[in-house]
Amino acid sequence: MGYEVIRFEGPVDEELICTICSGVLEDPLQAPQCEHAFCSSCIQEWLTRQPTCPVDRSPITPNQLKQVPRILRNLLSRLSIACDNVSYGCTAVIKLDSLHSHLQECDHNPKKPMHCEKGCGLVVPKDELKDHNCTKELRVVVAQMQMKMSEMISQMEEQKLALNEQKREICLLKEYMRSMRVSNPRMREIQATIENEDVIRWVSVLHPARVTRWGGMISTPDAVLQAVIKRALIDSGCPTHIVNELMENAHERRWPIGLSTLETRQLNRRQYENYVTKRIPNKQAVVVMACENQHMPEDLIMDPGLVMIFAHGVE
């Protein structure tokens, strides 16, 4: 629907009048061939009943409607119109293109958003402030929040059940494949490929680490420290089939020849900077995986990798 003509100051050119509603054009669109202009809502509603131009009956479809020329939009924007809230006491007369912004700030707008100053701080339409009950409204807000929280908890429980079911199915599948590979060389090969991909995928999500103090390495960690690092490995998503082996490789007794004694570690210290190391999340420890360290000498790396624990010096 267009704007009422009586709201405008001075005469309004006939070219700016919608022939459907007889108001001044609002968000105008025009027909593709005859170029007659209409309010957007007026012509859209008209075309739901008959697909023709209201003026000359030439055929039109909604998709054929187009924007009016800039000169017509400029003529509309220069018109002076009375505020929508004139009946509430507003005497402002503004340019048509400023009407929307004026209405948002108009002090006479009965629906202007206002902050309640009684204590709740909620935003309330101006004409509802006098009947606004803070306690009642806050109860509604709390009830809505509780409902949303209940929905979120339900969704999380459903997701948890779905994840547990997926994990169970994956475990069953792995157990099945383990039983198959014992007697089937092809299955052994497939299983090995899957396990290698699991390792590569896990390593790729770990953050790169930089060891700044190799002298802080703990070569003989006690059982408690090993248990803490093992839990961190598991929490990081480390594939279960290598967790125990990696933790065995956290002690110098399992390290390769180039790391097995203090003397060899001192001799090879300059080569440590060539290691590709990944941080075990939130711990002063790194993994040095064989798949990422093929460039290192054989006496400084081992499958599937090493766990190095430090007292300090890991960034």
Side-chain angles (χ1 to χ4, degrees), residues 12-18 23-26 72 75-76 79:
V12 178
D13 194 293
E14 289 185 3
E15 296 296 323
L16 305 180
I17 302 296
C18 173
V24 176
L25 293 169
E26 181 176 5
L72 185 58
L75 289 173
L76 285 168
L79 294 176

Side-chain angles (χ1 to χ4, degrees), residues 132-249:
H132 174 68
N133 184 314
C134 294
T135 303
K136 180 181 177 181
E137 294 299 330
L138 285 174
R139 283 176 178 169
V140 172
V141 172
V142 170
Q144 291 174 342
M145 292 178 64
Q146 289 177 334
M147 185 177 296
K148 288 182 180 179
M149 289 181 65
S150 297
E151 291 175 356
M152 290 176 63
I153 291 172
S154 297
Q155 291 175 359
M156 290 174 65
E157 289 296 330
E158 291 176 1
Q159 292 174 356
K160 185 177 179 180
L161 289 173
L163 284 172
N164 288 338
E165 182 62 23
Q166 289 179 2
K167 288 180 180 178
R168 189 184 69 83
E169 291 178 357
I170 290 171
C171 289
L172 290 173
L173 180 59
K174 286 183 176 180
E175 287 299 324
Y176 173 74
M177 296 187 72
R178 287 193 187 98
S179 66
M180 290 291 291
R181 69 176 180 172
V182 173
S183 57
N184 189 325
R186 177 58 180 162
M187 288 301 297
R188 287 199 297 271
E189 182 180 337
I190 293 173
Q191 179 67 19
T193 300
I194 293 174
E195 290 180 348
N196 287 337
E197 289 177 351
D198 285 345
V199 172
I200 293 171
R201 190 179 302 111
W202 167 63
V203 173
S204 68
V205 300
L206 295 178
H207 293 295
R210 187 170 75 90
V211 179
T212 58
R213 297 185 183 181
W214 290 97
M217 188 188 305
I218 302 174
S219 58
T220 56
D222 58 32
V224 174
L225 184 54
Q226 289 194 66
V228 170
I229 300 300
K230 182 177 181 180
R231 170 47 56 188
L233 276 176
I234 294 171
D235 292 342
S236 72
C238 179
T240 55
H241 66 276
I242 65 168
V243 170
N244 289 333
E245 193 170 1
L246 283 178
M247 289 314 304
E248 285 292 326
N249 295 347

